């Protein structure tokens, strides 16, 4: 199928597109506030995928290659449209400190869809870093490079975002004593 897409076969491209659509829209939704934004990012990502598919040498790496294109496209969208939120946001408004490591365990035992829904309510900058680090597994150094910030800024934004996430989880009635 990949070879057929590289040869610009429209039927193969349609099958390829349909195969990845729901998974990649889900990734896009993690980085946006609306479904329309997610769909825009998805469309832009797939244009990039089709334009650069001929450059893919290792077909076994296809899934991770496409996922990285989608994530980077979402980050570029963030840079173009919403990054100013971090510059205009008061650091003091998000000052939340939690002493217990039990709160980290809350996240480990939650249903991933419920967790993603709550993460989706976070401010854009926090949501971006939480998704990149907690969900997609990027290091703070990698995040810093992608977002053009320092690694220490990534870490501090992650901690603030995590603390705000914990506060929101508590608002939803999830407490530390509910973990096994």
């Amino acid at each position: 199928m990949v070879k057929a897409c590289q040869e610009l076969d429209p039927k193969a491209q349609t099958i390829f597109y349909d195969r990845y659509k729901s998974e990649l829209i889900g990734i896009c939704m993690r980085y946006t506030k609306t479904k329309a934004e997610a769909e825009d990012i998805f469309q832009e990502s797939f244009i990039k995928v089709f334009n650069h598919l001929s450059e893919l040498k290792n077909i076994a790496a296809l899934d991770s290659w496409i996922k990285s294109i989608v994530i980077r496209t979402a980050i570029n969208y963030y840079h173009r449209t919403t990054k100013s939120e971090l510059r205009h946001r008061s650091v003091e408004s998000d000052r939340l400190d939690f002493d217990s490591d039990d709160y980290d365990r809350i996240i480990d035992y939650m249903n991933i869809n419920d967790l993603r829904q709550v993460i989706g309510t976070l401010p854009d900058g926090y949501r971006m870093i939480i998704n990149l680090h907690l969900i997609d597994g990027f290091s703070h150094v990698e995040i810093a490079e992608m977002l053009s910030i320092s690694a220490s800024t990534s870490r501090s934004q992650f901690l603030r975002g995590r603390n705000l996430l914990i506060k929101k989880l508590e608002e939803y009635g999830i407490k530390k004593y509910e973990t096994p």
Side-chain angles (χ1 to χ4, degrees), residues 112-128:
I112 192 69
N113 291 327
D114 293 341
L115 179 60
R116 285 180 178 161
Q117 183 178 358
V118 177
I119 289 172
T121 67
L122 296 173
D124 294 333
Y126 293 162
R127 185 179 66 247
M128 179 76 58

Side-chain angles (χ1 to χ4, degrees), residues 3-69:
K3 294 281 187 207
C5 287
Q6 289 173 331
E7 295 169 3
L8 305 177
D9 177 341
K11 187 175 181 180
Q13 288 176 327
T14 300
I15 293 168
F16 187 81
Y17 179 91
D18 290 341
R19 183 216 181 276
Y20 284 99
K21 184 175 182 178
S22 63
E23 176 187 349
L24 299 180
I25 286 282
I27 291 171
C28 295
M29 287 294 294
R30 291 196 327 249
Y31 290 94
T32 62
K33 287 185 177 185
T34 68
K35 185 163 177 75
E37 289 175 319
E39 290 171 349
D40 287 346
I41 291 169
F42 170 74
Q43 291 297 330
E44 186 178 335
S45 298
F46 242 84
I47 290 169
K48 290 177 184 178
V49 167
F50 282 135
N51 285 340
H52 297 283
L53 194 56
S54 62
E55 299 168 13
L56 180 66
K57 303 298 181 218
N58 181 4
I59 293 177
L62 178 67
D63 289 348
S64 62
W65 179 75
I66 291 174
K67 183 179 176 183
S68 72
I69 289 174

Side-chain angles (χ1 to χ4, degrees), residues 46-110:
F46 242 84
I47 290 169
K48 290 177 184 178
V49 167
F50 282 135
N51 285 340
H52 297 283
L53 194 56
S54 62
E55 299 168 13
L56 180 66
K57 303 298 181 218
N58 181 4
I59 293 177
L62 178 67
D63 289 348
S64 62
W65 179 75
I66 291 174
K67 183 179 176 183
S68 72
I69 289 174
V70 171
I71 291 171
R72 291 187 187 280
T73 302
I75 290 168
N76 290 339
Y77 175 86
Y78 165 75
H79 280 298
R80 286 191 313 265
T81 61
T82 60
K83 191 172 181 180
S84 64
E85 179 183 320
L86 284 178
R87 286 186 286 237
H88 297 90
R89 189 165 178 85
S90 167
V91 172
E92 296 305 313
S93 67
D94 295 325
R95 184 133 172 83
L96 305 167
D97 294 314
F98 296 97
D99 297 328
S100 174
D101 288 336
D102 288 341
Y103 289 103
D104 288 333
R105 292 179 43 224
I106 291 171
I107 293 169
D108 291 337
Y109 292 104
M110 276 191 75

Side-chain angles (χ1 to χ4, degrees), residues 103 106-107 110 114-116 118-119 121 162-175 178:
Y103 289 103
I106 291 171
I107 293 169
M110 276 191 75
D114 293 341
L115 179 60
R116 285 180 178 161
V118 177
I119 289 172
T121 67
R162 183 200 65 163
N163 289 342
L164 184 57
L165 176 61
I166 290 166
K167 182 179 177 186
K168 287 181 177 284
L169 291 171
E170 287 179 340
E171 289 171 5
Y172 282 92
I174 299 167
K175 305 286 185 204
E178 293 177 349

